[in-house]
PDB file of all heavy atoms in Angstrom:
ATOM      1  N   GLY A   1     110.587 113.523  89.492  1.00 92.00           N
ATOM      2  CA  GLY A   1     110.487 114.025  88.122  1.00 92.00           C
ATOM      3  C   GLY A   1     109.056 114.050  87.611  1.00 92.00           C
ATOM      4  O   GLY A   1     108.150 113.454  88.191  1.00 92.00           O
ATOM      5  N   ASN A   2     108.848 114.775  86.505  1.00 94.00           N
ATOM      6  CA  ASN A   2     107.543 114.889  85.874  1.00 94.00           C
ATOM      7  C   ASN A   2     107.405 113.879  84.738  1.00 94.00           C
ATOM      8  O   ASN A   2     108.395 113.509  84.084  1.00 94.00           O
ATOM      9  CB  ASN A   2     107.321 116.295  85.315  1.00 94.00           C
ATOM     10  CG  ASN A   2     107.171 117.330  86.416  1.00 94.00           C
ATOM     11  OD1 ASN A   2     106.981 116.978  87.578  1.00 94.00           O
ATOM     12  ND2 ASN A   2     107.261 118.592  86.062  1.00 94.00           N
ATOM     13  N   TYR A   3     106.167 113.469  84.498  1.00 96.00           N
ATOM     14  CA  TYR A   3     105.867 112.511  83.445  1.00 96.00           C
ATOM     15  C   TYR A   3     104.744 113.056  82.577  1.00 96.00           C
ATOM     16  O   TYR A   3     103.819 113.700  83.066  1.00 96.00           O
ATOM     17  CB  TYR A   3     105.479 111.159  84.045  1.00 96.00           C
ATOM     18  CG  TYR A   3     106.625 110.481  84.757  1.00 96.00           C
ATOM     19  CD1 TYR A   3     106.970 110.852  86.059  1.00 96.00           C
ATOM     20  CD2 TYR A   3     107.382 109.495  84.129  1.00 96.00           C
ATOM     21  CE1 TYR A   3     108.031 110.247  86.715  1.00 96.00           C
ATOM     22  CE2 TYR A   3     108.447 108.877  84.780  1.00 96.00           C
ATOM     23  CZ  TYR A   3     108.761 109.265  86.073  1.00 96.00           C
ATOM     24  OH  TYR A   3     109.826 108.679  86.722  1.00 96.00           O
ATOM     25  N   SER A   4     104.830 112.760  81.276  1.00 95.00           N
ATOM     26  CA  SER A   4     103.882 113.316  80.317  1.00 95.00           C
ATOM     27  C   SER A   4     103.032 112.212  79.708  1.00 95.00           C
ATOM     28  O   SER A   4     102.673 111.247  80.385  1.00 95.00           O
ATOM     29  CB  SER A   4     104.657 114.090  79.237  1.00 95.00           C
ATOM     30  OG  SER A   4     103.776 114.740  78.353  1.00 95.00           O
ATOM     31  N   TYR A   5     102.697 112.342  78.420  1.00 96.00           N
ATOM     32  CA  TYR A   5     101.807 111.397  77.761  1.00 96.00           C
ATOM     33  C   TYR A   5     102.376 109.980  77.797  1.00 96.00           C
ATOM     34  O   TYR A   5     103.575 109.764  77.620  1.00 96.00           O
ATOM     35  CB  TYR A   5     101.594 111.810  76.307  1.00 96.00           C
ATOM     36  CG  TYR A   5     100.886 113.132  76.134  1.00 96.00           C
ATOM     37  CD1 TYR A   5     101.289 114.031  75.150  1.00 96.00           C
ATOM     38  CD2 TYR A   5      99.810 113.485  76.939  1.00 96.00           C
ATOM     39  CE1 TYR A   5     100.635 115.246  74.965  1.00 96.00           C
ATOM     40  CE2 TYR A   5      99.160 114.697  76.781  1.00 96.00           C
ATOM     41  CZ  TYR A   5      99.573 115.570  75.794  1.00 96.00           C
ATOM     42  OH  TYR A   5      98.931 116.772  75.628  1.00 96.00           O
ATOM     43  N   GLY A   6     101.477 109.023  78.027  1.00 96.00           N
ATOM     44  CA  GLY A   6     101.894 107.631  78.065  1.00 96.00           C
ATOM     45  C   GLY A   6     100.900 106.804  78.856  1.00 96.00           C
ATOM     46  O   GLY A   6      99.790 107.246  79.180  1.00 96.00           O
ATOM     47  N   ARG A   7     101.319 105.572  79.191  1.00 97.00           N
ATOM     48  CA  ARG A   7     100.459 104.656  79.955  1.00 97.00           C
ATOM     49  C   ARG A   7     101.004 104.520  81.371  1.00 97.00           C
ATOM     50  O   ARG A   7     102.186 104.199  81.566  1.00 97.00           O
ATOM     51  CB  ARG A   7     100.400 103.287  79.276  1.00 97.00           C
ATOM     52  CG  ARG A   7      99.436 102.308  79.976  1.00 97.00           C
ATOM     53  CD  ARG A   7      99.378 100.967  79.257  1.00 97.00           C
ATOM     54  NE  ARG A   7      98.496 100.022  79.938  1.00 97.00           N
ATOM     55  CZ  ARG A   7      97.201  99.846  79.680  1.00 97.00           C
ATOM     56  NH1 ARG A   7      96.634 100.563  78.722  1.00 97.00           N
ATOM     57  NH2 ARG A   7      96.476  98.966  80.339  1.00 97.00           N
ATOM     58  N   TYR A   8     100.129 104.752  82.340  1.00 98.00           N
ATOM     59  CA  TYR A   8     100.461 104.671  83.753  1.00 98.00           C
ATOM     60  C   TYR A   8      99.735 103.463  84.342  1.00 98.00           C
ATOM     61  O   TYR A   8      98.517 103.325  84.161  1.00 98.00           O
ATOM     62  CB  TYR A   8     100.018 105.934  84.484  1.00 98.00           C
ATOM     63  CG  TYR A   8     100.694 107.213  84.017  1.00 98.00           C
ATOM     64  CD1 TYR A   8     100.334 107.812  82.809  1.00 98.00           C
ATOM     65  CD2 TYR A   8     101.660 107.833  84.801  1.00 98.00           C
ATOM     66  CE1 TYR A   8     100.934 108.997  82.386  1.00 98.00           C
ATOM     67  CE2 TYR A   8     102.259 109.014  84.399  1.00 98.00           C
ATOM     68  CZ  TYR A   8     101.891 109.584  83.189  1.00 98.00           C
ATOM     69  OH  TYR A   8     102.490 110.754  82.779  1.00 98.00           O
ATOM     70  N   GLU A   9     100.457 102.612  85.060  1.00 98.00           N
ATOM     71  CA  GLU A   9      99.847 101.431  85.669  1.00 98.00           C
ATOM     72  C   GLU A   9     100.220 101.338  87.139  1.00 98.00           C
ATOM     73  O   GLU A   9     101.313 101.760  87.546  1.00 98.00           O
ATOM     74  CB  GLU A   9     100.289 100.151  84.949  1.00 98.00           C
ATOM     75  CG  GLU A   9      99.793 100.043  83.517  1.00 98.00           C
ATOM     76  CD  GLU A   9     100.083  98.688  82.893  1.00 98.00           C
ATOM     77  OE1 GLU A   9     100.783  97.867  83.526  1.00 98.00           O
ATOM     78  OE2 GLU A   9      99.602  98.432  81.769  1.00 98.00           O
ATOM     79  N   VAL A  10      99.305 100.784  87.926  1.00 98.00           N
ATOM     80  CA  VAL A  10      99.567 100.564  89.348  1.00 98.00           C
ATOM     81  C   VAL A  10      98.856  99.285  89.765  1.00 98.00           C
ATOM     82  O   VAL A  10      97.748  99.000  89.310  1.00 98.00           O
ATOM     83  CB  VAL A  10      99.078 101.755  90.202  1.00 98.00           C
ATOM     84  CG1 VAL A  10      97.574 101.975  90.049  1.00 98.00           C
ATOM     85  CG2 VAL A  10      99.445 101.571  91.664  1.00 98.00           C
ATOM     86  N   ILE A  11      99.511  98.509  90.609  1.00 98.00           N
ATOM     87  CA  ILE A  11      98.877  97.373  91.272  1.00 98.00           C
ATOM     88  C   ILE A  11      98.729  97.774  92.729  1.00 98.00           C
ATOM     89  O   ILE A  11      99.725  97.990  93.425  1.00 98.00           O
ATOM     90  CB  ILE A  11      99.705  96.084  91.120  1.00 98.00           C
ATOM     91  CG1 ILE A  11      99.818  95.706  89.638  1.00 98.00           C
ATOM     92  CG2 ILE A  11      99.053  94.943  91.907  1.00 98.00           C
ATOM     93  CD1 ILE A  11     100.676  94.474  89.385  1.00 98.00           C
ATOM     94  N   MET A  12      97.492  97.899  93.190  1.00 98.00           N
ATOM     95  CA  MET A  12      97.253  98.452  94.516  1.00 98.00           C
ATOM     96  C   MET A  12      96.017  97.841  95.151  1.00 98.00           C
ATOM     97  O   MET A  12      95.179  97.229  94.486  1.00 98.00           O
ATOM     98  CB  MET A  12      97.102  99.979  94.452  1.00 98.00           C
ATOM     99  CG  MET A  12      95.889 100.440  93.639  1.00 98.00           C
ATOM    100  SD  MET A  12      95.598 102.237  93.717  1.00 98.00           S
ATOM    101  CE  MET A  12      95.029 102.422  95.408  1.00 98.00           C
ATOM    102  N   ARG A  13      95.912  98.044  96.462  1.00 98.00           N
ATOM    103  CA  ARG A  13      94.748  97.633  97.256  1.00 98.00           C
ATOM    104  C   ARG A  13      94.385  98.811  98.155  1.00 98.00           C
ATOM    105  O   ARG A  13      95.169  99.175  99.040  1.00 98.00           O
ATOM    106  CB  ARG A  13      95.083  96.397  98.097  1.00 98.00           C
ATOM    107  CG  ARG A  13      93.905  95.904  98.952  1.00 98.00           C
ATOM    108  CD  ARG A  13      94.284  94.650  99.757  1.00 98.00           C
ATOM    109  NE  ARG A  13      95.184  94.930 100.864  1.00 98.00           N
ATOM    110  CZ  ARG A  13      96.450  94.525 100.934  1.00 98.00           C
ATOM    111  NH1 ARG A  13      96.995  93.830  99.948  1.00 98.00           N
ATOM    112  NH2 ARG A  13      97.195  94.819 101.987  1.00 98.00           N
ATOM    113  N   PRO A  14      93.244  99.458  97.955  1.00 98.00           N
ATOM    114  CA  PRO A  14      92.918 100.659  98.720  1.00 98.00           C
ATOM    115  C   PRO A  14      92.620 100.363 100.183  1.00 98.00           C
ATOM    116  O   PRO A  14      92.296  99.241 100.566  1.00 98.00           O
ATOM    117  CB  PRO A  14      91.665 101.208  98.008  1.00 98.00           C
ATOM    118  CG  PRO A  14      91.052 100.005  97.375  1.00 98.00           C
ATOM    119  CD  PRO A  14      92.192  99.118  96.979  1.00 98.00           C
ATOM    120  N   ALA A  15      92.727 101.406 100.996  1.00 98.00           N
ATOM    121  CA  ALA A  15      92.419 101.310 102.424  1.00 98.00           C
ATOM    122  C   ALA A  15      90.924 101.118 102.619  1.00 98.00           C
ATOM    123  O   ALA A  15      90.105 101.629 101.859  1.00 98.00           O
ATOM    124  CB  ALA A  15      92.883 102.559 103.154  1.00 98.00           C
ATOM    125  N   ARG A  16      90.590 100.385 103.663  1.00 98.00           N
ATOM    126  CA  ARG A  16      89.184 100.183 104.018  1.00 98.00           C
ATOM    127  C   ARG A  16      88.870 101.038 105.251  1.00 98.00           C
ATOM    128  O   ARG A  16      89.675 101.140 106.165  1.00 98.00           O
ATOM    129  CB  ARG A  16      88.920  98.710 104.311  1.00 98.00           C
ATOM    130  CG  ARG A  16      87.432  98.363 104.390  1.00 98.00           C
ATOM    131  CD  ARG A  16      87.233  96.953 104.913  1.00 98.00           C
ATOM    132  NE  ARG A  16      87.818  95.929 104.078  1.00 98.00           N
ATOM    133  CZ  ARG A  16      87.242  95.408 102.992  1.00 98.00           C
ATOM    134  NH1 ARG A  16      86.068  95.859 102.600  1.00 98.00           N
ATOM    135  NH2 ARG A  16      87.838  94.454 102.297  1.00 98.00           N
ATOM    136  N   GLY A  17      87.671 101.629 105.267  1.00 98.00           N
ATOM    137  CA  GLY A  17      87.242 102.410 106.425  1.00 98.00           C
ATOM    138  C   GLY A  17      86.686 103.755 106.017  1.00 98.00           C
ATOM    139  O   GLY A  17      87.322 104.494 105.249  1.00 98.00           O
ATOM    140  N   SER A  18      85.505 104.087 106.518  1.00 98.00           N
ATOM    141  CA  SER A  18      84.870 105.354 106.182  1.00 98.00           C
ATOM    142  C   SER A  18      85.749 106.530 106.605  1.00 98.00           C
ATOM    143  O   SER A  18      86.329 106.544 107.689  1.00 98.00           O
ATOM    144  CB  SER A  18      83.518 105.445 106.879  1.00 98.00           C
ATOM    145  OG  SER A  18      82.890 106.671 106.606  1.00 98.00           O
ATOM    146  N   GLY A  19      85.840 107.512 105.719  1.00 98.00           N
ATOM    147  CA  GLY A  19      86.652 108.691 105.981  1.00 98.00           C
ATOM    148  C   GLY A  19      88.003 108.670 105.311  1.00 98.00           C
ATOM    149  O   GLY A  19      88.708 109.676 105.324  1.00 98.00           O
ATOM    150  N   THR A  20      88.387 107.534 104.707  1.00 98.00           N
ATOM    151  CA  THR A  20      89.709 107.417 104.092  1.00 98.00           C
ATOM    152  C   THR A  20      89.617 107.529 102.572  1.00 98.00           C
ATOM    153  O   THR A  20      88.585 107.247 101.972  1.00 98.00           O
ATOM    154  CB  THR A  20      90.375 106.084 104.447  1.00 98.00           C
ATOM    155  OG1 THR A  20      89.634 105.003 103.857  1.00 98.00           O
ATOM    156  CG2 THR A  20      90.423 105.891 105.955  1.00 98.00           C
ATOM    157  N   VAL A  21      90.750 107.932 101.973  1.00 98.00           N
ATOM    158  CA  VAL A  21      90.876 108.032 100.526  1.00 98.00           C
ATOM    159  C   VAL A  21      92.206 107.407 100.125  1.00 98.00           C
ATOM    160  O   VAL A  21      93.234 107.670 100.758  1.00 98.00           O
ATOM    161  CB  VAL A  21      90.827 109.496 100.041  1.00 98.00           C
ATOM    162  CG1 VAL A  21      90.909 109.568  98.517  1.00 98.00           C
ATOM    163  CG2 VAL A  21      89.578 110.190 100.541  1.00 98.00           C
ATOM    164  N   SER A  22      92.183 106.586  99.076  1.00 98.00           N
ATOM    165  CA  SER A  22      93.406 105.987  98.533  1.00 98.00           C
ATOM    166  C   SER A  22      93.508 106.399  97.068  1.00 98.00           C
ATOM    167  O   SER A  22      92.528 106.296  96.324  1.00 98.00           O
ATOM    168  CB  SER A  22      93.368 104.460  98.642  1.00 98.00           C
ATOM    169  OG  SER A  22      93.140 104.050  99.976  1.00 98.00           O
ATOM    170  N   SER A  23      94.712 106.840  96.649  1.00 98.00           N
ATOM    171  CA  SER A  23      94.832 107.443  95.326  1.00 98.00           C
ATOM    172  C   SER A  23      96.083 106.991  94.584  1.00 98.00           C
ATOM    173  O   SER A  23      97.096 106.613  95.187  1.00 98.00           O
ATOM    174  CB  SER A  23      94.870 108.973  95.439  1.00 98.00           C
ATOM    175  OG  SER A  23      93.787 109.473  96.164  1.00 98.00           O
ATOM    176  N   PHE A  24      95.980 107.101  93.252  1.00 98.00           N
ATOM    177  CA  PHE A  24      97.123 107.021  92.349  1.00 98.00           C
ATOM    178  C   PHE A  24      96.858 108.079  91.288  1.00 98.00           C
ATOM    179  O   PHE A  24      95.813 108.060  90.630  1.00 98.00           O
ATOM    180  CB  PHE A  24      97.231 105.631  91.724  1.00 98.00           C
ATOM    181  CG  PHE A  24      98.323 105.520  90.689  1.00 98.00           C
ATOM    182  CD1 PHE A  24      99.655 105.416  91.086  1.00 98.00           C
ATOM    183  CD2 PHE A  24      98.025 105.509  89.338  1.00 98.00           C
ATOM    184  CE1 PHE A  24     100.672 105.321  90.140  1.00 98.00           C
ATOM    185  CE2 PHE A  24      99.032 105.408  88.387  1.00 98.00           C
ATOM    186  CZ  PHE A  24     100.354 105.311  88.788  1.00 98.00           C
ATOM    187  N   PHE A  25      97.804 109.026  91.116  1.00 98.00           N
ATOM    188  CA  PHE A  25      97.497 110.149  90.229  1.00 98.00           C
ATOM    189  C   PHE A  25      98.752 110.887  89.788  1.00 98.00           C
ATOM    190  O   PHE A  25      99.846 110.700  90.351  1.00 98.00           O
ATOM    191  CB  PHE A  25      96.544 111.126  90.918  1.00 98.00           C
ATOM    192  CG  PHE A  25      97.077 111.745  92.200  1.00 98.00           C
ATOM    193  CD1 PHE A  25      97.548 113.044  92.230  1.00 98.00           C
ATOM    194  CD2 PHE A  25      97.073 111.023  93.393  1.00 98.00           C
ATOM    195  CE1 PHE A  25      98.015 113.611  93.409  1.00 98.00           C
ATOM    196  CE2 PHE A  25      97.532 111.584  94.575  1.00 98.00           C
ATOM    197  CZ  PHE A  25      98.004 112.881  94.580  1.00 98.00           C
ATOM    198  N   THR A  26      98.579 111.715  88.762  1.00 98.00           N
ATOM    199  CA  THR A  26      99.606 112.668  88.354  1.00 98.00           C
ATOM    200  C   THR A  26      99.142 114.053  88.774  1.00 98.00           C
ATOM    201  O   THR A  26      97.941 114.346  88.786  1.00 98.00           O
ATOM    202  CB  THR A  26      99.827 112.645  86.830  1.00 98.00           C
ATOM    203  OG1 THR A  26      98.608 113.036  86.167  1.00 98.00           O
ATOM    204  CG2 THR A  26     100.223 111.254  86.362  1.00 98.00           C
ATOM    205  N   TYR A  27     100.106 114.923  89.098  1.00 97.00           N
ATOM    206  CA  TYR A  27      99.721 116.248  89.586  1.00 97.00           C
ATOM    207  C   TYR A  27     100.869 117.226  89.391  1.00 97.00           C
ATOM    208  O   TYR A  27     102.055 116.899  89.569  1.00 97.00           O
ATOM    209  CB  TYR A  27      99.363 116.195  91.073  1.00 97.00           C
ATOM    210  CG  TYR A  27      99.253 117.565  91.718  1.00 97.00           C
ATOM    211  CD1 TYR A  27      98.081 118.312  91.611  1.00 97.00           C
ATOM    212  CD2 TYR A  27     100.333 118.121  92.404  1.00 97.00           C
ATOM    213  CE1 TYR A  27      97.984 119.573  92.179  1.00 97.00           C
ATOM    214  CE2 TYR A  27     100.243 119.379  92.973  1.00 97.00           C
ATOM    215  CZ  TYR A  27      99.063 120.108  92.859  1.00 97.00           C
ATOM    216  OH  TYR A  27      98.980 121.356  93.413  1.00 97.00           O
ATOM    217  N   THR A  28     100.496 118.444  89.026  1.00 95.00           N
ATOM    218  CA  THR A  28     101.377 119.595  89.126  1.00 95.00           C
ATOM    219  C   THR A  28     100.509 120.813  89.411  1.00 95.00           C
ATOM    220  O   THR A  28      99.320 120.816  89.088  1.00 95.00           O
ATOM    221  CB  THR A  28     102.215 119.804  87.857  1.00 95.00           C
ATOM    222  OG1 THR A  28     103.223 120.792  88.112  1.00 95.00           O
ATOM    223  CG2 THR A  28     101.354 120.254  86.682  1.00 95.00           C
ATOM    224  N   GLY A  29     101.101 121.830  90.055  1.00 93.00           N
ATOM    225  CA  GLY A  29     100.301 122.978  90.441  1.00 93.00           C
ATOM    226  C   GLY A  29     101.144 124.164  90.835  1.00 93.00           C
ATOM    227  O   GLY A  29     102.348 124.232  90.528  1.00 93.00           O
TER     228      GLY A  29
END
């Protein structure tokens, strides 16, 4: 489902190592 205005929270630990990307985001397209 889609989410609109509000507060978004995440507890996370990103990946280590050159070349990698770790994300938390909203998206539509």
